[in-house]
Amino acid sequence: MSVPDYMQRAEDHQTLLVVVQPVGVVSEENFFRIYKRICSVSQVSVRDSQRVLYIRYRHHYPPENNEWGDFQTHRKAVGLVTITDCRAAQDWPRTLEKFQVQKEIYGSTLYDSRLFVFGLQGEVAEQPRTDVAFYPSYEACPGVEKRIEDFIESLFIVLESKRLDRATDKSGDKVPLLCVPFEKKDFVGLDTDSRHYKKRCQGRMRKHVGDLCLQAGMLQDALVHYHMAVELLRAVNDFLWLAAALEGLCSASVIFHYPGGTGGQNGARRCPGGSLPAEAANRHRPGAQEVLIDPGALTTNGINPDTSAEIGRAKNCLSPEDIIDKYKEAISYYGKYKNAGVIELEACVKAVRVLAIQKRSMEASEFLQNAVYINLRQLSEEEKIQRYSVLSELYELIGFRRKSAFFKRVAAMQCVAPSIAEPGWRACYKLLLETLPGYSLSLDPQDFSRGTHRGWAAVQMRLLHELVYASRRMGNPALSVRHLSFLLQTMLDFLSDQEKKDVTQSLESYTSKCPGTMEPITLPDGLHLPPVPLTKLPIVRHVKLLDLPASLRPQKMKSLLGQSMSAKSPFIYSPIIAHSRGEERSKKIDFQWVQGDVCEVQLMVYNPMPFELRVENMGLLTSGVEFESLPAALSLPAESGLYPVTLVGVPQTTGTISVNGYHTTVFGVFSDCLLDKLPGIKTNGSTVEVIPALPRLQISTSLPRSAHSLQPASGDEISTHVSVQLYNGETQQLAITLENIGVEPLEKLEVTSRVLTSKEKLYGDFLSWKLEEALAQFPLRPGQVATLTVSIQAKLDFSCQENLLQDLSDDGISVSGFPLSSPFRQVVRPRVESKASNPPEGSKPGDPGHTKVLEAILNFKYSGGPGHVDGYYRDLSLGLRVEVEPSVFFTRVSTLPASSTRQCHLLLDVFNSTEHELSLSARGNEELVLHAGECQRMAIQVDKFNFESFPEPPGEKGQFASPRQLEEQRQEARGLEISSKLGLRWRIISFHGLALGAPARAL
């Protein structure tokens, strides 16, 4: 026997073998449709008896295996069922002839046979025959199962007659010698009258009768005969048949202990009535029935027709432990015979299945190791594949998963052996996939992101490379890209620098023909390969959603109830709502994005590869709001540290947007990387509210940009900084251009100002404007421009600078008689750029140290479009820096009587602190021209007035102010009164005769 049956089980020893084959041309679909119905009749209860017959069907059975039927009767094909198509009556004789030829192949062992004819009707089909059944079609054949049952009963009749015939042989001492095929030549010329020969014949016949009893459903009788055969054959050292008797004894004991079978669900057997035999309750009883067969129970010819006495006194069944010992002994005896290699291999397989039920994995592995080294004849490649596959399944059965994977991988490599003309790459790929669990390998990349790495990385990488190569040879480049991407993603930490370069080069080569996608791949056998996002190329460690720039951040208009009041609930606080929204608050960010505006997300990434990494098409993945992602491309240096990358996009609708991750294209593989799937990532939240669209205002001015940035204490960000230089008392117009650069109309505008300089005393309005002129041009459509004019007037008090007064005294200018805080003295300095080319060594009034700086912020609150309807606006700030220089101040003030008693002459010593020639005029007087640094006296005739008649400061200021504050308020009011009566104005002549104005605090 040369073809092993790897599906053999111990319980198969009690089955009758029936071969089912087609005759003539029968389609495979029709044949297996009938074959499955025949196989459904796997056990039949014998009439008027408690015995059950078990049937084993095969649609292919080598005739040479049939020659071992006397050695083990379950190997003998005792039944033949043929299926044929016959459409015409004239074809019937030829069909019947083919049936007879088919019977001759197994003719020496057949008990009975049947022919099922499909498609033939008429006179021929109406002729009654016991061995032929006619059916009109494969669909209309309701009696197939019943005919098979009748056929099995006919087999039982023959089996029972043979059992009784062998057991009641009356031929004296002439018991025939049963032989296996290779023994026949060895017994030629032996002395058939010797006692040794007779015992050999008796022992073999007793073993044969035990096989027949087991097939006939007489388990206890079979056990008795097997025990007797063991004793007889052991006495004559007939090791081959002794091994068969021991195996039969083991099989009968297995059937007793494990009535459910040893082949798993497929091999499970069901007893009649759905219940197990009563003796199954006694299994696993240690030490049960240890009495051996009494040799005196044998008759002179070795066959006693009545075995009832032995049944009561025999050790009917082996214990579970003894079963394995007997299997070991039997296999050791089989190993003595080269031609019994197939029998030895099958016995090992049966023992392994028994040990698997007993959960004795280590002993089972010893049997399998023995099976690996059993030397059979020169096997074909297909037989080698089958052998390694069965070894893999058996190792899986006993829990040796890695060993199982090893043999399945060997089987896969055998499918594409060089000796095969047409390598089976699909079969190789399928077997390689089945090895993955054994090596702790899964094709789902998420299994590798949880905890530490499991399995041997070197073996796993080798297996993945083989999957890539097999899929390429199959002609499926998409599959190759998927496996290679998986290798790069999951095994990156175990690849050397050179291996990383090789793998990425191969991946780029594959993706040039078939780009990698995020679509699942479904194999023909239904296996789904999930997508493999390359989250490690690059590795992202931190994700931060960025707020809009200060000038574009939306602000909510405050209501009477407060900004945080929810309109959805009448309660100020609800613990139920707060608890249910706890998780939402942890993910939601406290700023808003605006529909239609560019939004930014910052990622901190680094490149783990030993070469420059080019990332293309990197953008954001969002949900909840329609979002236009603006992809970016970046190049990261080799093994870079954390590198900031900003991804941008534009929300197209309003609502709540969630940033779920990002997408990349690396080495031709498109990846969707979700933040929830990334290990060790830090984020400040992933959900933000998108409010309706607002207009965008851009401002430009007629002033140059300032080199100094304003730093307000409130922390407000200022978008634009401008600066200007003024003489004290000078007024300059600032033209501000307002342009709507957005897509929504600009409907509302509010302008406010805030002075940052707190230590300087300002007189009058520093900044003033007429907003109505600008609002008359509203609403501003996208692209339209409006102009706002702001007047800047610097009115400061320079009299408090002691160093400046000291400079004037040094120059011979009298300043005596005036307190330093006198409101009647105004000290001004010339512009820096107009200083004399050869200044004196000492400090002069025009030095930069005498310049004062004013800083102010102009705030533009504007709104429009859908955002305005929802109560949102934007705030744009303009920073203004004004450098104020001294201009004209008075060093001495005196009076002289005038011709009228109601008037007097006011004498003023005027000093020009600038480096320009200027003219000074008063109401009703001629202009006085002063050169740079010149001091002259000016007489002005004015009406007399009394300071004591001035009213006290009204309102709350006067009620709650301190005496010092009240005095300052009085002096300020007197100064304003004097200035209004005098009407002093000055102008620098060289500035095209432009009148620059007069100081508000002249006296």
Side-chain angles (χ1 to χ4, degrees), residues 742-761:
V743 296
E744 300 296 334
L746 200 159
E747 303 170 356
K748 300 292 181 180
L749 177 66
E750 293 181 9
V751 182
T752 59
S753 64
R754 179 161 55 96
V755 180
L756 301 182
T757 306
S758 59
K759 63 181 181 179
E760 298 293 341
K761 180 67 175 178

Side-chain angles (χ1 to χ4, degrees), residues 754-862:
R754 179 161 55 96
V755 180
L756 301 182
T757 306
S758 59
K759 63 181 181 179
E760 298 293 341
K761 180 67 175 178
L762 277 171
Y763 299 92
D765 294 330
F766 176 45
L767 299 175
S768 61
W769 59 87
K770 294 183 179 180
L771 187 60
E772 295 77 11
E773 298 178 359
L775 293 179
Q777 308 173 52
F778 276 48
L780 283 184
R781 300 296 174 185
Q784 290 185 347
V785 176
T787 302
L788 175 67
T789 301
V790 177
S791 296
I792 306 174
Q793 188 174 30
K795 296 181 180 180
L796 297 178
D797 185 2
F798 280 81
S799 62
C800 295
Q801 295 188 351
E802 297 182 8
N803 57 342
L804 176 60
L805 297 179
Q806 181 65 38
D807 292 339
L808 296 177
S809 299
D810 295 341
D811 288 341
I813 300 174
S814 174
V815 292
S816 60
F818 295 90
L820 295 179
S821 60
S822 171
F824 300 100
R825 184 178 296 111
Q826 184 74 13
V827 180
V828 197
R829 58 165 294 246
R831 294 181 186 269
V832 177
E833 62 269 17
S834 59
K835 290 195 304 181
S837 57
N838 296 317
E841 294 181 0
S843 174
K844 298 301 177 184
D847 288 347
H850 304 313
T851 301
K852 293 188 176 183
V853 177
L854 294 178
E855 292 180 342
I857 298 177
L858 278 172
N859 292 103
F860 298 83
K861 295 182 180 180
Y862 64 95

Side-chain angles (χ1 to χ4, degrees), residues 49 235 321 839:
S49 174
E321 293 77 13

Side-chain angles (χ1 to χ4, degrees), residues 391-443:
L391 286 172
S392 172
E393 293 173 4
L394 293 174
Y395 272 113
E396 179 73 23
L397 186 63
I398 64 175
F400 282 40
R401 298 172 60 245
R402 192 164 60 237
K403 198 82 167 181
S404 170
F406 170 78
F407 280 103
K408 189 149 290 186
R409 179 176 168 273
V410 173
M413 295 298 103
Q414 203 66 45
C415 293
V416 292
S419 56
I420 299 180
E422 296 182 359
W425 287 105
R426 292 188 180 278
C428 172
Y429 179 81
K430 183 176 182 299
L431 289 173
L432 286 176
L433 286 180
E434 295 174 2
T435 66
L436 297 179
Y439 290 116
S440 301
L441 196 58
S442 165
L443 292 180

